[in-house]
Amino acid sequence: MSNREVVILSVGGVRFVTRASTLQQFPESRLARMLNDDDQEFKLVNGEFFVDRDGTLFAYIMDFLRTLQVSLPTDFSDYQRLQREAEFYGLYPLADLLSQEHLLKPRLEILEVRFSLQEMQAFFRIFGSCSTTVETLSEQITVFAGQQSGQSWNSPFPSQKPLVPLPLERPSHHDLVFQCGTDYSAGDQFVARYVSIKPDNRKLINGTNVLGLLLDTLLKDGFRLISTRTVSSEEKVECYSFERMRRPPGLTVRVSQTPGSSGAAQAKRSQAQKGK
């Protein structure tokens, strides 16, 4: 049976079709021994291996064997049951990862946008509990500056001088600051700042329009608006608070040798540390 390329399993009435090499990722596991008729728990019925276990949880077992990674839905809660299933199948590297439940659970991410409109200028400050998200936003947002004399300020974009991208202010890894609008510099010169937020290619100068685009970008990225409030009525500072459940980076088992070898059962854990 070990030479069969395609294997069919019926786990608790749920049917799975996979390659023999997938089941042999960990040769010491019961699934690998099953192919050699070396485990009485698995009954071969009409060409299908039958086992009286939880078929729903076995789907996560199969995903792990195919990817060597633990990646669970954000609403998953049966960590102990899945760990018990992994132990039943002899997949102890998987059971070991599942025992570290705190690394696998999604985490609540908070993001706050402060917006202030003062005369012809608008000021933005974004604070996020996840530095990776703030870094991603800083790569999406670009501020362009242009200068023009007051007498010839007739078009929405300066025609005499090209717009120059400006670096965003980064007070810390968890926040960023930028502004848009117009103000006077020396003499009768206007300084105008435009904001572009990818993937939108427009360059916006109106603060209200920039705010609308920013909020829409966050909503499309999975954030949920949970509150709005006025921080300072005198300075006209508004605060928009967002939250989302952030999926943790997948825990990965790296097999030390090629699948199917005796050393393949030796595994070690690795976890991405971004956003901490």
Side-chain angles (χ1 to χ4, degrees):
M1 293 296 297
S2 60
N3 294 324
R4 290 183 57 176
E5 181 179 359
V6 177
V7 180
I8 302 175
L9 301 95
S10 178
V11 184
V14 182
R15 196 167 181 263
F16 296 88
V17 181
T18 187
R19 292 179 178 272
S21 58
T22 300
L23 300 176
Q24 293 169 328
Q25 288 278 21
F26 299 92
E28 303 305 318
S29 72
R30 299 182 74 174
L31 291 170
R33 298 201 309 268
M34 171 193 74
L35 298 178
N36 297 317
D37 296 323
D38 195 24
D39 196 311
Q40 297 301 314
E41 188 73 34
F42 299 86
K43 305 296 183 182
L44 187 60
V45 180
N46 297 326
E48 299 182 10
F49 287 100
F50 174 80
V51 58
D52 190 18
R53 303 294 294 191
D54 191 310
T56 301
L57 292 178
F58 190 73
Y60 300 115
I61 300 284
M62 285 303 308
D63 182 66
F64 169 74
L65 290 174
R66 287 165 175 152
T67 65
L68 297 182
Q69 187 175 78
V70 183
S71 183
L72 302 172
T74 55
D75 59 348
F76 186 81
S77 60
D78 290 334
Y79 294 93
Q80 292 184 351
R81 290 182 59 211
L82 184 56
Q83 181 183 349
R84 188 166 61 245
E85 293 299 294
E87 291 172 347
F88 169 81
Y89 291 109
L91 295 170
Y92 297 108
L94 173 58
D96 185 30
L97 295 183
L98 291 167
S99 68
Q100 303 183 67
E101 184 177 328
H102 65 285
L103 297 177
L104 294 168
K105 284 186 174 181
R107 297 169 182 168
L108 182 64
E109 180 181 354
I110 302 296
L111 189 133
E112 181 180 275
V113 176
R114 293 200 174 196
F115 169 70
S116 175
L117 190 60
Q118 301 175 14
E119 297 182 352
M120 299 297 292
Q121 298 182 81
F123 300 85
F124 296 83
R125 183 161 193 160
I126 301 175
F127 173 84
S129 60
C130 175
S131 61
T132 304
T133 298
V134 177
E135 181 65 31
T136 300
L137 282 172
S138 70
E139 295 172 355
Q140 288 180 263
I141 300 172
T142 306
V143 177
F144 298 90
Q147 198 173 54
Q148 187 85 341
S149 63
Q151 289 85 353
S152 59
W153 190 266
N154 297 318
S155 65
F157 296 97
S159 57
Q160 294 181 353
K161 295 182 179 180
L163 295 177
V164 178
L166 299 177
L168 302 179
E169 295 181 46
R170 294 296 305 275
S172 75
H173 292 296
H174 288 274
D175 58 349
L176 63 90
V177 177
F178 62 94
Q179 68 184 85
C180 66
T182 61
D183 65 336
Y184 281 103
S185 60
D188 63 348
Q189 295 289 310
F190 272 113
V191 174
R193 291 181 177 86
Y194 301 82
V195 172
S196 176
I197 305 177
K198 297 178 181 177
D200 194 298
N201 294 320
R202 292 174 298 169
K203 295 180 176 66
L204 304 176
I205 194 171
N206 182 280
T208 302
N209 292 341
V210 173
L211 176 64
L213 178 58
L214 176 59
L215 300 186
D216 185 60
T217 300
L218 294 174
L219 292 173
K220 289 180 178 178
D221 201 30
F223 280 97
R224 182 172 66 93
L225 180 64
I226 57 175
S227 70
T228 61
R229 68 183 191 277
T230 300
V231 179
S232 172
S233 57
E234 294 180 358
E235 298 179 358
K236 299 180 180 179
V237 179
E238 300 174 358
C239 178
Y240 300 82
S241 298
F242 294 83
E243 70 176 19
R244 71 175 174 183
M245 295 303 294
R246 181 170 173 264
R247 184 187 298 274
L251 290 178
T252 304
V253 167
R254 301 196 181 279
V255 179
S256 59
Q257 297 185 20
T258 57
S261 65
S262 60
Q266 300 297 322
K268 58 183 179 180
R269 295 187 302 273
S270 66
Q271 182 195 20
Q273 297 295 321
K274 294 181 179 180
K276 294 188 175 182

